[in-house]
Amino acid sequence: MTLPSTAREVHLASRPEGFPTPENFDLVEVPLPEIAEGRLLVRNLVMSVDPYMRGRMGLGKSYVAPYGIGEALTGGAVGEVVASEAPGFEVGDTVLHGLGWREYSAVDAAEATKVDPRTAPVGAYLGVLGMPGMTAYAGLLDVASFKEGDVVFVSGAAGAVGQVAGQVARLRGAARVIGSAGSDAKVKYLVDELGFDAAFNYKDGPVGELLHRAAPDGIDVYFDNVGGEHLEAAIDSATTFGRIALCGSIANYNTSTPTGPRNLGLAVGKRLTLRGFLVKDHEHLREQFVREVGGWIASDELRYQETVTEGIDRAPAAFIGMLRGENVGKALVTL
Ligand code: NDP
Protein backbone atom coordinates (compact mmCIF):
# COMPACT_ATOMS: atom_id res chain seq x y z
CA MET A 1 0.00 0.00 0.00
CA THR A 2 1.37 3.41 -0.94
CA LEU A 3 0.99 5.88 1.86
CA PRO A 4 0.22 9.56 1.24
CA SER A 5 2.81 12.15 2.26
CA THR A 6 0.27 14.29 4.11
CA ALA A 7 -2.91 13.72 6.07
CA ARG A 8 -5.58 15.87 7.69
CA GLU A 9 -6.34 16.43 11.37
CA VAL A 10 -8.67 18.66 13.36
CA HIS A 11 -7.17 21.27 15.69
CA LEU A 12 -8.82 23.37 18.36
CA ALA A 13 -8.71 26.92 16.94
CA SER A 14 -10.28 28.67 19.94
CA ARG A 15 -12.14 27.80 23.11
CA PRO A 16 -15.92 27.71 22.65
CA GLU A 17 -18.12 29.98 24.69
CA GLY A 18 -21.51 28.37 25.02
CA PHE A 19 -22.21 25.95 22.19
CA PRO A 20 -19.14 25.27 20.01
CA THR A 21 -19.24 26.68 16.48
CA PRO A 22 -17.36 25.55 13.34
CA GLU A 23 -14.96 28.51 13.88
CA ASN A 24 -13.64 26.81 17.03
CA PHE A 25 -12.04 24.13 14.81
CA ASP A 26 -9.38 24.08 12.08
CA LEU A 27 -8.86 21.31 9.55
CA VAL A 28 -5.09 21.18 9.04
CA GLU A 29 -2.99 19.26 6.53
CA VAL A 30 0.19 17.90 8.12
CA PRO A 31 3.03 15.61 7.00
CA LEU A 32 2.31 11.94 7.64
CA PRO A 33 3.69 11.20 11.12
CA GLU A 34 6.97 9.26 11.38
CA ILE A 35 6.91 6.34 13.76
CA ALA A 36 9.64 5.62 16.25
CA GLU A 37 10.32 2.31 17.95
CA GLY A 38 7.36 1.05 19.96
CA ARG A 39 4.86 2.89 17.77
CA LEU A 40 2.31 2.07 15.11
CA LEU A 41 1.13 4.12 12.16
CA VAL A 42 -2.63 3.73 12.05
CA ARG A 43 -4.96 4.71 9.21
CA ASN A 44 -8.11 5.61 11.10
CA LEU A 45 -11.39 4.15 9.90
CA VAL A 46 -13.79 5.62 12.43
CA MET A 47 -13.56 8.10 15.31
CA SER A 48 -15.79 9.02 18.20
CA VAL A 49 -17.27 12.38 19.15
CA ASP A 50 -18.18 12.42 22.85
CA PRO A 51 -19.73 14.91 25.28
CA TYR A 52 -16.66 14.88 27.60
CA MET A 53 -14.65 16.49 24.79
CA ARG A 54 -16.68 19.68 25.34
CA GLY A 55 -15.21 19.87 28.85
CA ARG A 56 -11.70 19.55 27.45
CA MET A 57 -12.28 22.43 25.03
CA GLY A 58 -12.75 24.86 27.91
CA LEU A 59 -10.58 25.73 30.87
CA GLY A 60 -13.18 25.01 33.51
CA LYS A 61 -13.00 22.27 36.10
CA SER A 62 -13.07 18.97 34.25
CA TYR A 63 -11.85 15.49 35.01
CA VAL A 64 -9.52 15.51 32.00
CA ALA A 65 -6.85 18.04 30.99
CA PRO A 66 -7.89 20.76 28.53
CA TYR A 67 -6.99 20.49 24.84
CA GLY A 68 -4.34 22.96 23.69
CA ILE A 69 -5.20 25.75 21.26
CA GLY A 70 -3.65 25.04 17.85
CA GLU A 71 -3.16 21.38 18.73
CA ALA A 72 -4.86 18.32 17.31
CA LEU A 73 -7.81 17.08 19.33
CA THR A 74 -7.72 13.55 20.71
CA GLY A 75 -10.37 10.91 21.33
CA GLY A 76 -11.33 7.32 20.68
CA ALA A 77 -10.69 5.90 17.20
CA VAL A 78 -10.37 2.56 15.48
CA GLY A 79 -8.05 2.06 12.54
CA GLU A 80 -5.87 -0.26 10.55
CA VAL A 81 -2.15 -0.60 11.28
CA VAL A 82 -0.27 0.43 8.12
CA ALA A 83 3.24 0.34 9.63
CA SER A 84 4.52 -1.19 12.84
CA GLU A 85 7.68 -0.66 14.86
CA ALA A 86 6.27 -2.60 17.81
CA PRO A 87 6.45 -6.32 18.49
CA GLY A 88 3.07 -8.03 18.58
CA PHE A 89 1.46 -5.71 16.04
CA GLU A 90 1.36 -6.45 12.31
CA VAL A 91 0.35 -4.40 9.31
CA GLY A 92 -3.33 -5.15 8.78
CA ASP A 93 -4.22 -5.41 12.48
CA THR A 94 -7.21 -3.37 13.62
CA VAL A 95 -6.64 -1.32 16.77
CA LEU A 96 -8.58 0.85 19.18
CA HIS A 97 -6.65 3.88 20.47
CA GLY A 98 -7.01 7.42 21.79
CA LEU A 99 -5.61 9.57 18.97
CA GLY A 100 -8.71 10.26 16.92
CA TRP A 101 -9.64 13.50 15.11
CA ARG A 102 -6.97 12.71 12.47
CA GLU A 103 -6.74 10.53 9.40
CA TYR A 104 -3.44 8.91 10.43
CA SER A 105 -2.16 8.52 13.99
CA ALA A 106 1.27 7.54 15.33
CA VAL A 107 0.17 5.46 18.29
CA ASP A 108 2.26 4.16 21.19
CA ALA A 109 1.69 0.39 21.04
CA ALA A 110 1.14 0.39 24.80
CA GLU A 111 -1.90 2.61 24.22
CA ALA A 112 -3.36 0.45 21.43
CA THR A 113 -5.77 -2.46 21.87
CA LYS A 114 -6.27 -5.00 19.12
CA VAL A 115 -9.91 -5.51 18.16
CA ASP A 116 -11.46 -8.03 15.82
CA PRO A 117 -13.53 -6.52 12.98
CA ARG A 118 -15.08 -9.96 12.36
CA THR A 119 -16.55 -10.12 15.87
CA ALA A 120 -18.23 -6.72 15.69
CA PRO A 121 -18.32 -3.79 13.24
CA VAL A 122 -15.45 -1.39 14.00
CA GLY A 123 -17.78 1.38 15.22
CA ALA A 124 -19.18 -0.89 17.94
CA TYR A 125 -15.80 -0.74 19.73
CA LEU A 126 -16.41 3.00 20.22
CA GLY A 127 -20.05 2.57 21.19
CA VAL A 128 -22.14 -0.30 22.39
CA LEU A 129 -19.13 -2.57 23.10
CA GLY A 130 -16.79 0.28 23.93
CA MET A 131 -16.49 3.12 26.43
CA PRO A 132 -20.16 4.28 26.35
CA GLY A 133 -21.53 0.73 26.64
CA MET A 134 -19.18 -0.01 29.52
CA THR A 135 -20.22 3.27 31.18
CA ALA A 136 -23.86 2.21 31.05
CA TYR A 137 -23.09 -1.25 32.41
CA ALA A 138 -20.83 -0.10 35.24
CA GLY A 139 -23.03 2.87 36.14
CA LEU A 140 -26.12 0.76 36.47
CA LEU A 141 -24.66 -2.33 38.16
CA ASP A 142 -21.68 -1.05 40.15
CA VAL A 143 -22.64 2.53 40.93
CA ALA A 144 -26.44 2.45 41.22
CA SER A 145 -26.35 -1.11 42.67
CA PHE A 146 -29.24 -2.06 40.40
CA LYS A 147 -31.26 -5.08 41.51
CA GLU A 148 -34.08 -7.05 39.97
CA GLY A 149 -37.46 -5.43 40.50
CA ASP A 150 -36.13 -1.84 40.56
CA VAL A 151 -37.98 0.91 38.74
CA VAL A 152 -35.29 2.62 36.69
CA PHE A 153 -35.23 6.04 35.04
CA VAL A 154 -32.57 6.88 32.42
CA SER A 155 -32.10 10.37 30.95
CA GLY A 156 -30.37 10.94 27.63
CA ALA A 157 -31.90 7.54 27.02
CA ALA A 158 -31.61 7.51 23.22
CA GLY A 159 -27.89 8.34 23.29
CA ALA A 160 -24.83 6.10 23.30
CA VAL A 161 -24.79 5.45 27.04
CA GLY A 162 -28.52 5.78 27.67
CA GLN A 163 -29.66 3.26 25.08
CA VAL A 164 -27.49 0.60 26.70
CA ALA A 165 -28.30 1.55 30.32
CA GLY A 166 -32.04 1.22 29.79
CA GLN A 167 -31.76 -2.11 28.03
CA VAL A 168 -29.38 -3.61 30.58
CA ALA A 169 -31.93 -2.66 33.24
CA ARG A 170 -34.73 -4.31 31.24
CA LEU A 171 -32.72 -7.46 30.55
CA ARG A 172 -31.58 -7.72 34.17
CA GLY A 173 -35.19 -7.73 35.37
CA ALA A 174 -36.21 -4.15 36.13
CA ALA A 175 -39.87 -3.81 37.13
CA ARG A 176 -40.17 -0.80 34.85
CA VAL A 177 -37.77 1.22 32.70
CA ILE A 178 -38.51 4.85 31.87
CA GLY A 179 -36.48 7.00 29.50
CA SER A 180 -36.36 10.66 28.58
CA ALA A 181 -35.08 12.13 25.34
CA GLY A 182 -35.34 15.31 23.32
CA SER A 183 -37.63 14.40 20.43
CA ASP A 184 -40.79 12.43 19.73
CA ALA A 185 -38.90 10.22 17.27
CA LYS A 186 -36.42 9.29 20.02
CA VAL A 187 -39.27 8.57 22.44
CA LYS A 188 -40.81 6.24 19.86
CA TYR A 189 -37.44 4.53 19.34
CA LEU A 190 -37.12 3.89 23.08
CA VAL A 191 -40.53 2.31 23.44
CA ASP A 192 -40.94 0.57 20.08
CA GLU A 193 -37.38 -0.60 19.39
CA LEU A 194 -35.63 -0.81 22.74
CA GLY A 195 -38.49 -2.07 24.92
CA PHE A 196 -38.62 0.80 27.43
CA ASP A 197 -41.92 0.63 29.35
CA ALA A 198 -42.44 4.38 29.08
CA ALA A 199 -40.61 7.38 27.70
CA PHE A 200 -41.19 11.11 27.42
CA ASN A 201 -39.89 14.08 25.47
CA TYR A 202 -38.41 16.35 28.14
CA LYS A 203 -39.15 19.38 25.97
CA ASP A 204 -42.90 18.78 26.43
CA GLY A 205 -43.13 20.33 29.89
CA PRO A 206 -41.57 20.46 33.35
CA VAL A 207 -39.47 17.29 33.70
CA GLY A 208 -40.80 16.73 37.22
CA GLU A 209 -44.37 16.48 35.97
CA LEU A 210 -43.48 14.29 32.99
CA LEU A 211 -41.51 11.92 35.20
CA HIS A 212 -44.23 11.74 37.81
CA ARG A 213 -46.74 10.83 35.11
CA ALA A 214 -44.47 8.08 33.75
CA ALA A 215 -43.58 6.72 37.21
CA PRO A 216 -46.45 7.53 39.58
CA ASP A 217 -45.07 5.21 42.29
CA GLY A 218 -41.58 6.68 42.10
CA ILE A 219 -38.19 5.47 40.87
CA ASP A 220 -35.64 3.32 42.69
CA VAL A 221 -32.71 4.07 40.38
CA TYR A 222 -31.86 7.11 38.30
CA PHE A 223 -29.09 6.93 35.70
CA ASP A 224 -28.23 10.60 35.22
CA ASN A 225 -26.74 11.65 31.90
CA VAL A 226 -28.14 15.15 32.02
CA GLY A 227 -28.07 16.85 35.44
CA GLY A 228 -29.97 20.11 36.15
CA GLU A 229 -33.75 19.90 35.97
CA HIS A 230 -33.66 16.15 35.29
CA LEU A 231 -31.69 15.49 38.45
CA GLU A 232 -34.06 17.64 40.48
CA ALA A 233 -37.03 15.71 39.08
CA ALA A 234 -35.37 12.38 39.87
CA ILE A 235 -34.65 13.37 43.48
CA ASP A 236 -38.29 14.37 43.80
CA SER A 237 -39.51 11.03 42.40
CA ALA A 238 -36.96 8.84 44.16
CA THR A 239 -38.21 6.21 46.57
CA THR A 240 -36.72 5.78 50.05
CA PHE A 241 -33.14 4.44 49.76
CA GLY A 242 -33.19 5.35 46.04
CA ARG A 243 -29.87 5.28 44.20
CA ILE A 244 -28.66 7.82 41.66
CA ALA A 245 -25.65 7.23 39.39
CA LEU A 246 -24.22 10.61 38.38
CA CYS A 247 -22.80 9.87 34.95
CA GLY A 248 -22.86 13.28 33.27
CA SER A 249 -24.63 16.62 33.24
CA ILE A 250 -24.85 17.55 29.58
CA ALA A 251 -27.60 20.10 30.25
CA ASN A 252 -24.85 22.24 31.78
CA TYR A 253 -21.95 21.64 29.38
CA ASN A 254 -22.62 24.62 27.10
CA THR A 255 -23.67 27.26 29.58
CA SER A 256 -21.85 29.54 31.98
CA THR A 257 -24.85 29.52 34.34
CA PRO A 258 -25.32 25.85 35.25
CA THR A 259 -28.46 24.75 37.03
CA GLY A 260 -28.40 22.30 39.89
CA PRO A 261 -31.02 20.45 41.85
CA ARG A 262 -32.64 22.82 44.38
CA ASN A 263 -34.15 19.94 46.36
CA LEU A 264 -31.02 18.13 47.52
CA GLY A 265 -32.38 18.42 51.06
CA LEU A 266 -34.88 15.69 50.20
CA ALA A 267 -31.99 13.25 49.87
CA VAL A 268 -31.61 13.23 53.66
CA GLY A 269 -35.10 12.11 54.60
CA LYS A 270 -35.24 9.69 51.67
CA ARG A 271 -31.78 8.30 52.55
CA LEU A 272 -30.72 8.60 48.91
CA THR A 273 -27.33 7.63 47.54
CA LEU A 274 -26.02 9.98 44.84
CA ARG A 275 -22.72 8.73 43.49
CA GLY A 276 -20.57 10.18 40.72
CA PHE A 277 -18.35 7.84 38.75
CA LEU A 278 -15.84 7.55 35.93
CA VAL A 279 -15.95 4.49 33.75
CA LYS A 280 -12.18 3.98 33.99
CA ASP A 281 -12.54 2.97 37.65
CA HIS A 282 -14.68 -0.07 36.77
CA GLU A 283 -12.32 -2.13 34.61
CA HIS A 284 -12.96 -5.18 36.80
CA LEU A 285 -16.34 -5.47 35.05
CA ARG A 286 -14.98 -5.41 31.49
CA GLU A 287 -14.93 -9.15 30.80
CA GLN A 288 -18.39 -9.61 32.25
CA PHE A 289 -19.63 -6.61 30.25
CA VAL A 290 -18.29 -7.90 26.94
CA ARG A 291 -19.68 -11.38 27.58
CA GLU A 292 -23.12 -10.29 28.75
CA VAL A 293 -23.77 -7.34 26.43
CA GLY A 294 -22.07 -9.12 23.50
CA GLY A 295 -24.37 -12.09 24.10
CA TRP A 296 -27.48 -9.91 24.15
CA ILE A 297 -26.43 -8.23 20.89
CA ALA A 298 -25.85 -11.63 19.26
CA SER A 299 -29.29 -12.85 20.36
CA ASP A 300 -30.89 -9.54 19.25
CA GLU A 301 -32.17 -8.92 22.78
CA LEU A 302 -30.19 -5.68 22.98
CA ARG A 303 -30.40 -3.29 20.05
CA TYR A 304 -28.54 -0.13 19.29
CA GLN A 305 -28.20 2.63 16.76
CA GLU A 306 -25.30 4.71 15.55
CA THR A 307 -25.40 8.08 13.83
CA VAL A 308 -22.56 8.08 11.33
CA THR A 309 -21.15 11.21 9.69
CA GLU A 310 -18.72 10.77 6.80
CA GLY A 311 -15.42 12.61 6.46
CA ILE A 312 -12.94 14.22 8.83
CA ASP A 313 -13.94 17.64 7.47
CA ARG A 314 -17.39 17.05 8.95
CA ALA A 315 -16.16 15.87 12.36
CA PRO A 316 -16.69 19.29 14.04
CA ALA A 317 -20.27 19.39 12.69
CA ALA A 318 -20.85 15.86 13.99
CA PHE A 319 -19.57 16.90 17.40
CA ILE A 320 -21.71 20.04 17.54
CA GLY A 321 -24.72 18.07 16.26
CA MET A 322 -24.26 15.48 19.00
CA LEU A 323 -24.29 18.21 21.66
CA ARG A 324 -27.52 19.51 20.13
CA GLY A 325 -29.17 16.10 20.12
CA GLU A 326 -28.98 15.32 16.40
CA ASN A 327 -27.67 11.81 17.09
CA VAL A 328 -29.59 8.68 17.92
CA GLY A 329 -27.29 6.22 19.65
CA LYS A 330 -23.54 6.60 19.31
CA ALA A 331 -22.26 9.55 17.26
CA LEU A 332 -19.40 8.41 15.01
CA VAL A 333 -17.37 9.83 12.14
CA THR A 334 -16.00 7.59 9.41
CA LEU A 335 -12.73 8.70 7.84
P1 NDP B 1 -25.15 10.91 23.78
O1 NDP B 1 -24.99 9.92 22.69
O2 NDP B 1 -26.28 10.72 24.75
O3 NDP B 1 -25.24 12.35 23.12
C1 NDP B 1 -25.52 13.46 23.85
C2 NDP B 1 -27.05 13.65 24.00
O4 NDP B 1 -27.31 14.54 25.07
C3 NDP B 1 -27.69 14.31 22.80
O5 NDP B 1 -28.01 13.40 21.79
C4 NDP B 1 -28.94 14.96 23.43
O6 NDP B 1 -30.05 14.08 23.26
C5 NDP B 1 -28.61 15.05 24.92
N1 NDP B 1 -28.67 16.43 25.38
C6 NDP B 1 -28.01 17.50 24.91
N2 NDP B 1 -28.35 18.61 25.59
C7 NDP B 1 -29.27 18.22 26.50
C8 NDP B 1 -30.02 18.92 27.50
N3 NDP B 1 -29.90 20.24 27.70
N4 NDP B 1 -30.90 18.21 28.26
C9 NDP B 1 -31.05 16.89 28.07
N5 NDP B 1 -30.36 16.18 27.14
C10 NDP B 1 -29.49 16.85 26.38
O7 NDP B 1 -23.81 11.01 24.62
P2 NDP B 1 -23.13 9.85 25.48
O8 NDP B 1 -24.09 8.73 25.59
O9 NDP B 1 -21.78 9.60 24.95
O10 NDP B 1 -22.97 10.53 26.92
C11 NDP B 1 -24.11 10.66 27.78
C12 NDP B 1 -23.67 11.26 29.10
O11 NDP B 1 -22.76 10.38 29.74
C13 NDP B 1 -22.95 12.59 28.99
O12 NDP B 1 -23.35 13.42 30.05
C14 NDP B 1 -21.49 12.21 29.13
O13 NDP B 1 -20.70 13.26 29.58
C15 NDP B 1 -21.60 11.09 30.13
N6 NDP B 1 -20.48 10.12 30.14
C16 NDP B 1 -19.89 9.87 31.34
C17 NDP B 1 -18.90 8.93 31.45
C18 NDP B 1 -18.32 8.64 32.80
O14 NDP B 1 -17.34 7.90 32.91
N7 NDP B 1 -18.89 9.20 33.85
C19 NDP B 1 -18.41 8.21 30.27
C20 NDP B 1 -19.15 8.48 29.05
C21 NDP B 1 -20.15 9.43 29.01
P3 NDP B 1 -31.57 14.62 23.36
O15 NDP B 1 -32.07 14.71 21.96
O16 NDP B 1 -32.24 13.56 24.16
O17 NDP B 1 -31.53 15.96 24.03
Side-chain angles (χ1 to χ4, degrees), residues 87-113:
F89 288 88
E90 308 287 335
V91 169
D93 284 347
T94 307
V95 291
L96 169 70
H97 63 88
L99 292 179
W101 291 92
R102 53 199 101 191
E103 291 175 307
Y104 284 82
S105 306
V107 179
D108 183 343
E111 306 288 328
T113 307

Side-chain angles (χ1 to χ4, degrees), residues 257-331:
T257 51
T259 53
R262 292 162 299 181
N263 58 351
L264 206 50
L266 289 179
V268 178
K270 292 189 182 202
R271 286 85 103 197
L272 302 185
T273 303
L274 288 86
R275 190 174 155 206
F277 74 101
L278 292 178
V279 61
K280 64 176 183 178
D281 296 332
H282 299 268
E283 274 304 308
H284 61 280
L285 277 182
R286 182 166 295 279
E287 249 177 63
Q288 182 186 319
F289 156 69
V290 170
R291 198 173 52 248
E292 191 165 22
V293 172
W296 284 328
I297 293 170
S299 60
D300 200 29
E301 289 170 280
L302 188 147
R303 296 180 174 181
Y304 65 95
Q305 278 197 28
E306 293 166 345
T307 297
V308 180
T309 302
E310 269 177 49
I312 190 156
D313 51 322
R314 295 178 63 211
F319 173 69
I320 296 166
M322 177 274 300
L323 291 175
R324 291 199 178 276
E326 287 165 15
N327 60 311
V328 182
K330 179 70 194 115

Side-chain angles (χ1 to χ4, degrees), residues 83-245:
S84 171
E85 294 295 333
F89 288 88
E90 308 287 335
V91 169
D93 284 347
T94 307
V95 291
L96 169 70
H97 63 88
L99 292 179
W101 291 92
R102 53 199 101 191
E103 291 175 307
Y104 284 82
S105 306
V107 179
D108 183 343
E111 306 288 328
T113 307
K114 275 192 213 178
V115 295
D116 188 344
R118 290 161 307 182
T119 308
V122 284
Y125 293 105
L126 298 170
V128 67
L129 284 176
M131 185 276 280
M134 177 74 182
T135 301
Y137 194 81
L140 189 73
L141 302 183
D142 244 6
V143 182
S145 306
F146 168 82
K147 53 186 190 317
E148 213 179 311
D150 278 341
V151 175
V152 177
F153 171 46
V154 181
S155 57
V161 173
Q163 64 177 353
V164 179
Q167 291 185 89
V168 171
R170 169 173 61 75
L171 289 159
R172 282 284 192 116
R176 189 169 161 77
V177 183
I178 299 136
S180 72
S183 75
D184 293 347
K186 289 185 181 184
V187 166
K188 194 166 158 32
Y189 168 62
L190 294 174
V191 175
D192 294 353
E193 299 286 324
L194 304 188
F196 280 58
D197 298 287
F200 60 83
N201 179 346
Y202 66 83
K203 294 174 182 166
D204 280 349
V207 180
E209 280 175 28
L210 297 166
L211 178 58
H212 183 67
R213 221 174 291 156
D217 298 327
I219 56 171
D220 304 307
V221 165
Y222 172 45
F223 193 107
D224 186 23
N225 286 315
V226 168
E229 190 188 355
H230 270 84
L231 181 53
E232 184 168 299
I235 291 171
D236 216 46
S237 275
T239 53
T240 309
F241 294 109
R243 289 143 279 139
I244 297 180

